[in-house]
Amino acid sequence: MKIAVDIFGGDNSPSALIDGCVDAAKLYDDVEFIFTGDERVITDYMSEKGYGSSRISIIDAPETITCGDQPTVAIKRKKNSSLVKALELVASKEADAFVSAGSTGAVLAGATLIVRRIKGVKRPALAPVMPTVKGPVLLIDCGANVDCKPNYLQQFAVMGSAYMKKVCGIDAPRVGLINNGAEAEKGNELTKSAYKLLENTDINFVGNCEARYTMTGDYDVLVCDGFVGNAVLKCTEGVARSVMSIMKQELMASPITKLGALISKSGFKRVKKRMDYTEYGGAPLLGINGCIIKAHGSSNAKAITSAIGQARSYCIGDVTAAIQSGIEALPECED
């Protein structure tokens, strides 16, 4: 399979993108890479690092879309940008997947305008995979759609279920609706209406999920509008970072606690690994007619390698076809 990589997206481009792809090439011998970006810079860096060009081709794209650009305007005006060129490869089926650590807004706009939505999908949704006590959970949506209608959330549930089935191998993913109470009658008009739709959708809907239970591992897919999802994601990241910082401060507070920390060092390393976002790759943009993986803007080489593996699993599982089948099975609803 061929994966198009936006080499000049992200805070650590082009080094992290190139290094991550080279590392991924060692892990996956069935993957070829198409790098898009300033060809001279890419070739100079690869030469400097002693990287070979086996299974790597380059498409020259001297323009770059930054986080300061207005997404839709940039997509239309910067036709020779690394992001646009990579998305065009997916749209034309010259590439099977797209990976970028660039501007989230530009990836969303570009994927929608260039690759386009799966027929019947109302709104594409960003869906990061997050660690929990028992295993990963997919949060959908985490920011692509801050204002939603009930049928959008219904489609998010279908798309999230398809992803977790095909990529994580879960036969009947447990779908929860993030809400301010467990009871069916709780919530605002959006969640109460969405609850009724999800009850009658061919998925394993297990009811409302209060925010305190998002990390317990009792759900495989968590559904919400993008405003709530982004708040949950950012709050979770902040709490995890704060807890780790507090633990470090307290463990270094005295000779006795330092000794305890030394004894428990291997356990703390495992905790850190389980909470490390670089282990999970990026957030798939579900609902687009192709594999789109949006990596974190600060991704290092390890995170990019994980994102490549994620894109590979997405293609092997043919998630796009699974989503299309699930959407087609839903009754027609007004937008």
Side-chain angles (χ1 to χ4, degrees):
M1 71 182 67
K2 294 183 178 181
I3 299 179
V5 184
D6 168 19
I7 296 297
F8 284 83
D11 301 337
N12 301 315
S13 65
S15 59
L17 281 298
I18 297 174
D19 292 347
C21 289
V22 170
D23 289 341
K26 299 172 185 175
L27 297 174
Y28 311 115
D29 57 12
D30 58 346
V31 174
E32 295 180 26
F33 298 92
I34 306 174
F35 290 172
T36 59
D38 189 314
E39 185 173 12
R40 182 187 58 79
V41 175
I42 294 172
T43 53
D44 285 352
Y45 181 82
M46 292 181 65
S47 177
E48 177 187 327
K49 298 285 285 188
Y51 294 151
S53 57
S54 176
R55 291 189 282 137
I56 295 174
S57 58
I58 303 171
I59 291 180
D60 189 35
E63 294 182 299
T64 301
I65 293 177
T66 70
C67 290
D69 290 324
Q70 206 287 324
T72 304
V73 174
I75 292 297
K76 292 179 178 179
R77 291 182 178 176
K78 294 187 175 181
K79 300 292 187 181
N80 288 319
S81 64
S82 55
L83 191 150
V84 169
K85 287 295 185 182
L87 286 171
E88 287 177 344
L89 292 170
V90 178
S92 64
K93 306 302 180 185
E94 296 174 73
D96 302 291
F98 163 90
V99 173
S100 175
S103 161
T104 300
V107 171
L108 293 175
T112 304
L113 292 170
I114 298 170
V115 186
R116 299 187 179 278
R117 292 174 286 172
I118 294 170
K119 184 178 179 181
V121 170
K122 303 294 185 184
R123 297 289 188 276
L126 271 174
V129 178
M130 304 193 305
T132 73
V133 173
K134 300 176 184 176
V137 64
L138 187 82
L139 177 67
I140 183 169
D141 176 35
C142 81
N145 307 277
V146 294
D147 295 305
C148 287
K149 297 181 180 180
N151 59 321
Y152 297 179
L153 269 58
Q154 180 187 35
Q155 289 197 348
F156 295 169
V158 169
M159 295 192 293
S161 293
Y163 182 90
M164 294 304 280
K165 281 182 183 179
K166 296 297 184 178
V167 174
C168 296
I170 302 172
D171 291 334
R174 299 159 297 173
V175 179
L177 177 65
I178 295 181
N179 210 335
N180 65 342
E183 299 83 3
E185 65 274 9
K186 285 290 183 71
N188 54 23
E189 290 304 314
L190 172 63
T191 56
K192 287 188 281 188
S193 297
Y195 190 103
K196 294 177 183 178
L197 288 178
L198 294 175
E199 275 189 308
N200 297 294
T201 303
D202 187 21
I203 55 173
N204 183 20
F205 179 56
V206 295
N208 286 329
C209 170
E210 292 185 83
R212 75 178 96 177
Y213 299 120
T214 57
M215 307 301 289
T216 61
D218 295 324
Y219 304 88
D220 302 303
V221 179
L222 291 173
V223 177
C224 56
D225 63 72
F227 184 90
V228 169
N230 195 262
V232 168
L233 181 65
K234 297 293 175 59
C235 181
T236 302
E237 290 176 346
V239 169
R241 191 178 297 114
S242 297
V243 168
M244 295 299 288
S245 178
I246 291 170
M247 286 177 61
K248 185 176 180 180
Q249 290 173 14
E250 294 302 321
L251 289 169
M252 295 294 105
S254 72
I256 293 177
T257 55
K258 285 180 181 179
L259 178 60
L262 182 61
I263 295 171
S264 305
K265 187 176 180 179
S266 61
F268 289 126
K269 281 186 176 180
R270 290 194 297 273
V271 170
K272 185 177 180 181
K273 181 179 176 67
R274 288 178 64 178
M275 299 297 290
D276 187 2
Y277 80 89
T278 65
E279 297 285 338
Y280 295 87
L285 179 58
L286 301 181
I288 294 295
N289 192 26
C291 174
I292 307 294
I293 304 295
K294 170 61 181 75
H296 200 289
S298 60
S299 290
N300 57 20
K302 180 182 176 182
I304 297 302
T305 300
S306 297
I308 296 298
Q310 186 180 20
R312 177 177 177 271
S313 297
Y314 189 111
C315 295
I316 290 173
D318 201 358
V319 175
T320 300
I323 289 175
Q324 184 166 11
S325 178
I327 295 299
E328 288 174 351
L330 293 176
E332 285 292 327
C333 293
E334 292 296 324
D335 203 0

